[in-house]
Amino acid sequence: ASNLPALELQFADYALWQKELLASGALDASRAYWRRRLRRALPSQVAPDRARTEQPTGRSEIRSQLLPGAFSQAAEAFAREHGVTLYGVAASALAAMLRRVSGERQIVIGSQVANREDPLAEALVGPIVNSITLCFDVDDTLVKSDFVKQSTQAIQTALEHQSLPAEAACAGRPPHSINLVVQHAYSDLSASQGDAQPFELIAVPSLAIGALWDLNFFMIRRAEGWRISCEANTHLYDAATADMLLSHWRCSMEALVRDPSERLADCKALRQIPMHAPQAPCSQATWLPVRPISSRRKSTTCSRDGTTRLTDRPFNTKVILTSVCADWGVARDSLMIGAHRTVRYSSARAASTE
């Protein structure tokens, strides 16, 4: 290791460069894109088996299925024929499945990018992975091939704005509940370079490190074929639910590939996935900052699940919540305000109980 040349770019250099990039205004177009795209986008959710509590365990369990070799080849052929990536096929299938199990037409999930487009960053040592938000509008009247192309275009547009850090793109927004990763595992390769001794990459089992999301779907290409997995937060979901969601995801992928000219609404395989009614706007506490107008009072934040939290923000009880509700796509009477006491805002007028 002592003979290795020094890296041209250290992690501290990258952090400083990113800070300067954010301050320069070069990412203002991306900031505006995400503000516009996420204006009414709420994270998609699957109804949990158990209610969320204030002290989750953070434990998770991974459930997996190996896709048949014939289907893996068919999916790759479909992607080549229609000019899309296999990631686009997998993401489209997940969106179509979540459309059924959540009842929502707009599906909003998270994903990750390597964030190493610059050649200097390829050898950088340190965590620079960034998260992006993917928004899919599932139109049941579209034929499957057009739906996959539309979803792939949504992915490509999001990737054009991937340089803006997730904390800036999603500032003040609820975190993703569902995540997707598709990658190729090169564990089946052997190689040698120059005078170095040949080496072999050996596969090791995937281990759950804890629940970063309620549900994390991932698809990995191994020597034996594509393996799909679901890492579920065991505080919320049973293993049987994760297995069911995996089966639905697989069913959705098979349906998209099998008859590309069929409309989503006419697909019998998709209709076999039970359709659920949309849930309440958000089952977990989501805090909405309210902009103060004039006086400093007992500060507050809003929650869409009926709970409240006090902070040290200035607050005026006569603040108009119309713009807040429009930004978040929620009904005004579903918001609760915490000040000295709970203040409920109805659609008619705000009545303070201070």
Side-chain angles (χ1 to χ4, degrees), residues 31-61:
R31 197 186 303 272
Y33 165 80
W34 288 116
R35 185 184 300 114
R36 181 175 63 254
R37 191 70 178 98
L38 303 181
R39 180 179 177 86
R40 298 179 183 275
L42 295 176
S44 296
Q45 294 185 329
V46 174
D49 298 312
R50 287 171 291 278
R52 195 183 303 271
T53 62
E54 294 182 358
Q55 296 181 338
T57 62
R59 300 190 184 96
S60 64
E61 181 180 359

mmCIF file of all heavy atoms in Angstrom, residues 31-61:
data_model
loop_
_atom_site.group_PDB
_atom_site.id
_atom_site.type_symbol
_atom_site.label_atom_id
_atom_site.label_comp_id
_atom_site.label_asym_id
_atom_site.label_seq_id
_atom_site.Cartn_x
_atom_site.Cartn_y
_atom_site.Cartn_z
ATOM 1 N N ARG A 31 -32.217 22.999 -8.283
ATOM 2 C CA ARG A 31 -33.002 23.318 -7.080
ATOM 3 C C ARG A 31 -34.441 23.686 -7.469
ATOM 4 O O ARG A 31 -35.400 23.254 -6.832
ATOM 5 C CB ARG A 31 -32.343 24.465 -6.312
ATOM 6 C CG ARG A 31 -32.818 24.615 -4.884
ATOM 7 C CD ARG A 31 -32.203 25.869 -4.277
ATOM 8 N NE ARG A 31 -30.756 25.849 -4.328
ATOM 9 C CZ ARG A 31 -29.980 25.320 -3.388
ATOM 10 N NH1 ARG A 31 -30.543 24.765 -2.327
ATOM 11 N NH2 ARG A 31 -28.665 25.359 -3.490
ATOM 12 N N ALA A 32 -34.578 24.478 -8.540
ATOM 13 C CA ALA A 32 -35.912 24.863 -9.008
ATOM 14 C C ALA A 32 -36.674 23.652 -9.538
ATOM 15 O O ALA A 32 -37.886 23.536 -9.335
ATOM 16 C CB ALA A 32 -35.786 25.928 -10.101
ATOM 17 N N TYR A 33 -35.969 22.755 -10.213
ATOM 18 C CA TYR A 33 -36.629 21.548 -10.732
ATOM 19 C C TYR A 33 -37.201 20.724 -9.588
ATOM 20 O O TYR A 33 -38.374 20.314 -9.627
ATOM 21 C CB TYR A 33 -35.644 20.701 -11.535
ATOM 22 C CG TYR A 33 -36.145 19.294 -11.781
ATOM 23 C CD1 TYR A 33 -37.071 19.034 -12.789
ATOM 24 C CD2 TYR A 33 -35.727 18.227 -10.977
ATOM 25 C CE1 TYR A 33 -37.561 17.752 -12.994
ATOM 26 C CE2 TYR A 33 -36.204 16.948 -11.179
ATOM 27 C CZ TYR A 33 -37.119 16.718 -12.196
ATOM 28 O OH TYR A 33 -37.609 15.434 -12.372
ATOM 29 N N TRP A 34 -36.386 20.461 -8.573
ATOM 30 C CA TRP A 34 -36.866 19.624 -7.481
ATOM 31 C C TRP A 34 -37.984 20.313 -6.687
ATOM 32 O O TRP A 34 -38.917 19.650 -6.235
ATOM 33 C CB TRP A 34 -35.708 19.258 -6.545
ATOM 34 C CG TRP A 34 -34.759 18.261 -7.138
ATOM 35 C CD1 TRP A 34 -33.444 18.446 -7.440
ATOM 36 C CD2 TRP A 34 -35.068 16.915 -7.524
ATOM 37 N NE1 TRP A 34 -32.911 17.311 -7.983
ATOM 38 C CE2 TRP A 34 -33.878 16.353 -8.047
ATOM 39 C CE3 TRP A 34 -36.220 16.137 -7.477
ATOM 40 C CZ2 TRP A 34 -33.818 15.042 -8.520
ATOM 41 C CZ3 TRP A 34 -36.168 14.826 -7.943
ATOM 42 C CH2 TRP A 34 -34.981 14.297 -8.455
ATOM 43 N N ARG A 35 -37.879 21.625 -6.539
ATOM 44 C CA ARG A 35 -38.944 22.343 -5.838
ATOM 45 C C ARG A 35 -40.266 22.207 -6.590
ATOM 46 O O ARG A 35 -41.323 21.978 -5.999
ATOM 47 C CB ARG A 35 -38.574 23.815 -5.677
ATOM 48 C CG ARG A 35 -39.581 24.614 -4.841
ATOM 49 C CD ARG A 35 -39.222 26.086 -4.791
ATOM 50 N NE ARG A 35 -37.922 26.318 -4.200
ATOM 51 C CZ ARG A 35 -36.881 26.794 -4.864
ATOM 52 N NH1 ARG A 35 -36.992 27.099 -6.145
ATOM 53 N NH2 ARG A 35 -35.724 26.973 -4.259
ATOM 54 N N ARG A 36 -40.174 22.308 -7.910
ATOM 55 C CA ARG A 36 -41.380 22.192 -8.743
ATOM 56 C C ARG A 36 -41.882 20.742 -8.774
ATOM 57 O O ARG A 36 -43.075 20.490 -8.646
ATOM 58 C CB ARG A 36 -41.055 22.675 -10.158
ATOM 59 C CG ARG A 36 -42.220 22.633 -11.131
ATOM 60 C CD ARG A 36 -41.829 23.253 -12.458
ATOM 61 N NE ARG A 36 -40.759 22.507 -13.125
ATOM 62 C CZ ARG A 36 -39.497 22.906 -13.206
ATOM 63 N NH1 ARG A 36 -39.123 24.056 -12.636
ATOM 64 N NH2 ARG A 36 -38.590 22.182 -13.840
ATOM 65 N N ARG A 37 -40.973 19.784 -8.915
ATOM 66 C CA ARG A 37 -41.368 18.378 -9.059
ATOM 67 C C ARG A 37 -41.929 17.812 -7.760
ATOM 68 O O ARG A 37 -42.830 16.968 -7.781
ATOM 69 C CB ARG A 37 -40.153 17.537 -9.492
ATOM 70 C CG ARG A 37 -40.516 16.113 -9.919
ATOM 71 C CD ARG A 37 -41.266 16.170 -11.217
ATOM 72 N NE ARG A 37 -41.604 14.852 -11.724
ATOM 73 C CZ ARG A 37 -42.785 14.264 -11.566
ATOM 74 N NH1 ARG A 37 -43.726 14.892 -10.868
ATOM 75 N NH2 ARG A 37 -43.044 13.086 -12.071
ATOM 76 N N LEU A 38 -41.403 18.266 -6.644
ATOM 77 C CA LEU A 38 -41.815 17.704 -5.356
ATOM 78 C C LEU A 38 -42.875 18.545 -4.663
ATOM 79 O O LEU A 38 -43.223 18.265 -3.516
ATOM 80 C CB LEU A 38 -40.595 17.558 -4.436
ATOM 81 C CG LEU A 38 -39.445 16.704 -4.974
ATOM 82 C CD1 LEU A 38 -38.319 16.638 -3.958
ATOM 83 C CD2 LEU A 38 -39.926 15.305 -5.339
ATOM 84 N N ARG A 39 -43.381 19.556 -5.354
ATOM 85 C CA ARG A 39 -44.338 20.479 -4.732
ATOM 86 C C ARG A 39 -45.520 19.739 -4.126
ATOM 87 O O ARG A 39 -45.940 20.029 -3.008
ATOM 88 C CB ARG A 39 -44.824 21.485 -5.777
ATOM 89 C CG ARG A 39 -45.823 22.509 -5.246
ATOM 90 C CD ARG A 39 -46.231 23.483 -6.342
ATOM 91 N NE ARG A 39 -47.225 24.418 -5.890
ATOM 92 C CZ ARG A 39 -46.970 25.555 -5.263
ATOM 93 N NH1 ARG A 39 -45.723 25.884 -5.011
ATOM 94 N NH2 ARG A 39 -47.940 26.369 -4.884
ATOM 95 N N ARG A 40 -46.074 18.782 -4.842
ATOM 96 C CA ARG A 40 -47.228 18.036 -4.345
ATOM 97 C C ARG A 40 -46.933 16.544 -4.223
ATOM 98 O O ARG A 40 -47.862 15.747 -4.130
ATOM 99 C CB ARG A 40 -48.425 18.244 -5.279
ATOM 100 C CG ARG A 40 -48.888 19.692 -5.383
ATOM 101 C CD ARG A 40 -50.061 19.840 -6.332
ATOM 102 N NE ARG A 40 -50.464 21.226 -6.493
ATOM 103 C CZ ARG A 40 -51.290 21.872 -5.687
ATOM 104 N NH1 ARG A 40 -51.810 21.234 -4.647
ATOM 105 N NH2 ARG A 40 -51.605 23.133 -5.902
ATOM 106 N N ALA A 41 -45.677 16.181 -4.257
ATOM 107 C CA ALA A 41 -45.307 14.760 -4.227
ATOM 108 C C ALA A 41 -45.128 14.288 -2.795
ATOM 109 O O ALA A 41 -44.259 14.768 -2.067
ATOM 110 C CB ALA A 41 -44.018 14.542 -5.018
ATOM 111 N N LEU A 42 -45.942 13.339 -2.392
ATOM 112 C CA LEU A 42 -45.835 12.740 -1.064
ATOM 113 C C LEU A 42 -45.299 11.322 -1.204
ATOM 114 O O LEU A 42 -45.670 10.607 -2.132
ATOM 115 C CB LEU A 42 -47.201 12.706 -0.379
ATOM 116 C CG LEU A 42 -47.822 14.062 -0.061
ATOM 117 C CD1 LEU A 42 -49.217 13.889 0.515
ATOM 118 C CD2 LEU A 42 -46.938 14.846 0.899
ATOM 119 N N PRO A 43 -44.422 10.894 -0.311
ATOM 120 C CA PRO A 43 -43.834 9.564 -0.423
ATOM 121 C C PRO A 43 -44.898 8.466 -0.436
ATOM 122 O O PRO A 43 -45.836 8.482 0.368
ATOM 123 C CB PRO A 43 -42.963 9.451 0.829
ATOM 124 C CG PRO A 43 -42.671 10.864 1.219
ATOM 125 C CD PRO A 43 -43.892 11.645 0.840
ATOM 126 N N SER A 44 -44.754 7.537 -1.359
ATOM 127 C CA SER A 44 -45.683 6.402 -1.414
ATOM 128 C C SER A 44 -45.468 5.508 -0.198
ATOM 129 O O SER A 44 -44.352 5.376 0.313
ATOM 130 C CB SER A 44 -45.455 5.598 -2.696
ATOM 131 O OG SER A 44 -45.751 6.372 -3.830
ATOM 132 N N GLN A 45 -46.551 4.892 0.243
ATOM 133 C CA GLN A 45 -46.486 4.018 1.404
ATOM 134 C C GLN A 45 -47.328 2.769 1.163
ATOM 135 O O GLN A 45 -48.308 2.807 0.412
ATOM 136 C CB GLN A 45 -46.990 4.734 2.659
ATOM 137 C CG GLN A 45 -46.114 5.892 3.108
ATOM 138 C CD GLN A 45 -46.606 6.478 4.413
ATOM 139 O OE1 GLN A 45 -47.798 6.477 4.706
ATOM 140 N NE2 GLN A 45 -45.692 6.981 5.210
ATOM 141 N N VAL A 46 -46.917 1.691 1.805
ATOM 142 C CA VAL A 46 -47.696 0.462 1.830
ATOM 143 C C VAL A 46 -48.221 0.289 3.250
ATOM 144 O O VAL A 46 -47.464 0.434 4.222
ATOM 145 C CB VAL A 46 -46.844 -0.756 1.429
ATOM 146 C CG1 VAL A 46 -47.625 -2.048 1.594
ATOM 147 C CG2 VAL A 46 -46.366 -0.613 -0.018
ATOM 148 N N ALA A 47 -49.509 0.016 3.374
ATOM 149 C CA ALA A 47 -50.119 -0.103 4.704
ATOM 150 C C ALA A 47 -49.351 -1.109 5.555
ATOM 151 O O ALA A 47 -49.132 -2.247 5.135
ATOM 152 C CB ALA A 47 -51.580 -0.538 4.563
ATOM 153 N N PRO A 48 -48.888 -0.717 6.739
ATOM 154 C CA PRO A 48 -48.094 -1.621 7.580
ATOM 155 C C PRO A 48 -48.971 -2.646 8.301
ATOM 156 O O PRO A 48 -50.183 -2.477 8.427
ATOM 157 C CB PRO A 48 -47.427 -0.675 8.566
ATOM 158 C CG PRO A 48 -48.399 0.461 8.696
ATOM 159 C CD PRO A 48 -49.030 0.619 7.342
ATOM 160 N N ASP A 49 -48.339 -3.695 8.772
ATOM 161 C CA ASP A 49 -49.041 -4.709 9.569
ATOM 162 C C ASP A 49 -49.248 -4.247 11.002
ATOM 163 O O ASP A 49 -50.157 -4.710 11.692
ATOM 164 C CB ASP A 49 -48.245 -6.021 9.565
ATOM 165 C CG ASP A 49 -48.107 -6.597 8.171
ATOM 166 O OD1 ASP A 49 -49.130 -6.673 7.460
ATOM 167 O OD2 ASP A 49 -46.977 -6.964 7.778
ATOM 168 N N ARG A 50 -48.380 -3.324 11.444
ATOM 169 C CA ARG A 50 -48.475 -2.805 12.801
ATOM 170 C C ARG A 50 -48.332 -1.288 12.769
ATOM 171 O O ARG A 50 -47.663 -0.744 11.880
ATOM 172 C CB ARG A 50 -47.371 -3.405 13.697
ATOM 173 C CG ARG A 50 -47.599 -4.857 14.058
ATOM 174 C CD ARG A 50 -46.389 -5.451 14.748
ATOM 175 N NE ARG A 50 -45.268 -5.579 13.820
ATOM 176 C CZ ARG A 50 -45.141 -6.597 12.973
ATOM 177 N NH1 ARG A 50 -46.068 -7.545 12.925
ATOM 178 N NH2 ARG A 50 -44.105 -6.672 12.165
ATOM 179 N N ALA A 51 -48.928 -0.636 13.738
ATOM 180 C CA ALA A 51 -48.870 0.823 13.785
ATOM 181 C C ALA A 51 -47.461 1.298 14.113
ATOM 182 O O ALA A 51 -46.713 0.631 14.835
ATOM 183 C CB ALA A 51 -49.853 1.344 14.833
ATOM 184 N N ARG A 52 -47.115 2.434 13.566
ATOM 185 C CA ARG A 52 -45.819 3.050 13.835
ATOM 186 C C ARG A 52 -45.821 3.626 15.251
ATOM 187 O O ARG A 52 -46.799 4.220 15.692
ATOM 188 C CB ARG A 52 -45.566 4.160 12.824
ATOM 189 C CG ARG A 52 -44.140 4.649 12.755
ATOM 190 C CD ARG A 52 -44.058 5.794 11.753
ATOM 191 N NE ARG A 52 -44.534 5.371 10.456
ATOM 192 C CZ ARG A 52 -43.768 4.820 9.522
ATOM 193 N NH1 ARG A 52 -42.491 4.614 9.764
ATOM 194 N NH2 ARG A 52 -44.278 4.483 8.355
ATOM 195 N N THR A 53 -44.727 3.468 15.960
ATOM 196 C CA THR A 53 -44.613 3.991 17.318
ATOM 197 C C THR A 53 -43.498 5.024 17.378
ATOM 198 O O THR A 53 -42.735 5.199 16.428
ATOM 199 C CB THR A 53 -44.322 2.870 18.331
ATOM 200 O OG1 THR A 53 -43.065 2.257 17.999
ATOM 201 C CG2 THR A 53 -45.426 1.817 18.284
ATOM 202 N N GLU A 54 -43.387 5.695 18.520
ATOM 203 C CA GLU A 54 -42.392 6.753 18.664
ATOM 204 C C GLU A 54 -40.982 6.195 18.783
ATOM 205 O O GLU A 54 -40.010 6.903 18.535
ATOM 206 C CB GLU A 54 -42.712 7.600 19.897
ATOM 207 C CG GLU A 54 -44.013 8.392 19.780
ATOM 208 C CD GLU A 54 -44.262 9.243 21.001
ATOM 209 O OE1 GLU A 54 -43.428 9.183 21.940
ATOM 210 O OE2 GLU A 54 -45.261 9.976 21.021
ATOM 211 N N GLN A 55 -40.827 4.931 19.173
ATOM 212 C CA GLN A 55 -39.509 4.342 19.352
ATOM 213 C C GLN A 55 -39.388 3.060 18.524
ATOM 214 O O GLN A 55 -39.454 1.950 19.043
ATOM 215 C CB GLN A 55 -39.247 4.042 20.830
ATOM 216 C CG GLN A 55 -39.197 5.293 21.701
ATOM 217 C CD GLN A 55 -38.901 4.960 23.151
ATOM 218 O OE1 GLN A 55 -39.116 3.860 23.618
ATOM 219 N NE2 GLN A 55 -38.387 5.952 23.871
ATOM 220 N N PRO A 56 -39.200 3.205 17.197
ATOM 221 C CA PRO A 56 -39.041 2.023 16.350
ATOM 222 C C PRO A 56 -37.737 1.301 16.653
ATOM 223 O O PRO A 56 -36.765 1.893 17.120
ATOM 224 C CB PRO A 56 -39.036 2.605 14.936
ATOM 225 C CG PRO A 56 -38.565 4.012 15.108
ATOM 226 C CD PRO A 56 -39.102 4.456 16.442
ATOM 227 N N THR A 57 -37.705 0.006 16.363
ATOM 228 C CA THR A 57 -36.519 -0.796 16.662
ATOM 229 C C THR A 57 -35.427 -0.610 15.625
ATOM 230 O O THR A 57 -34.248 -0.764 15.933
ATOM 231 C CB THR A 57 -36.896 -2.283 16.722
ATOM 232 O OG1 THR A 57 -37.395 -2.690 15.429
ATOM 233 C CG2 THR A 57 -37.973 -2.518 17.772
ATOM 234 N N GLY A 58 -35.801 -0.297 14.386
ATOM 235 C CA GLY A 58 -34.807 -0.168 13.333
ATOM 236 C C GLY A 58 -34.354 -1.489 12.750
ATOM 237 O O GLY A 58 -33.478 -1.522 11.889
ATOM 238 N N ARG A 59 -34.946 -2.583 13.187
ATOM 239 C CA ARG A 59 -34.550 -3.895 12.661
ATOM 240 C C ARG A 59 -35.210 -4.143 11.303
ATOM 241 O O ARG A 59 -36.269 -3.605 11.008
ATOM 242 C CB ARG A 59 -34.938 -5.014 13.631
ATOM 243 C CG ARG A 59 -34.290 -4.904 15.003
ATOM 244 C CD ARG A 59 -34.535 -6.169 15.813
ATOM 245 N NE ARG A 59 -34.011 -6.048 17.164
ATOM 246 C CZ ARG A 59 -34.717 -5.697 18.212
ATOM 247 N NH1 ARG A 59 -36.003 -5.429 18.059
ATOM 248 N NH2 ARG A 59 -34.175 -5.593 19.394
ATOM 249 N N SER A 60 -34.574 -4.985 10.503
ATOM 250 C CA SER A 60 -35.117 -5.316 9.197
ATOM 251 C C SER A 60 -34.794 -6.760 8.848
ATOM 252 O O SER A 60 -33.931 -7.386 9.477
ATOM 253 C CB SER A 60 -34.555 -4.377 8.124
ATOM 254 O OG SER A 60 -33.154 -4.549 8.002
ATOM 255 N N GLU A 61 -35.483 -7.260 7.841
ATOM 256 C CA GLU A 61 -35.249 -8.620 7.356
ATOM 257 C C GLU A 61 -35.330 -8.602 5.833
ATOM 258 O O GLU A 61 -36.183 -7.925 5.258
ATOM 259 C CB GLU A 61 -36.290 -9.587 7.923
ATOM 260 C CG GLU A 61 -36.087 -11.024 7.467
ATOM 261 C CD GLU A 61 -37.123 -11.977 8.044
ATOM 262 O OE1 GLU A 61 -37.996 -11.522 8.815
ATOM 263 O OE2 GLU A 61 -37.071 -13.188 7.726
#
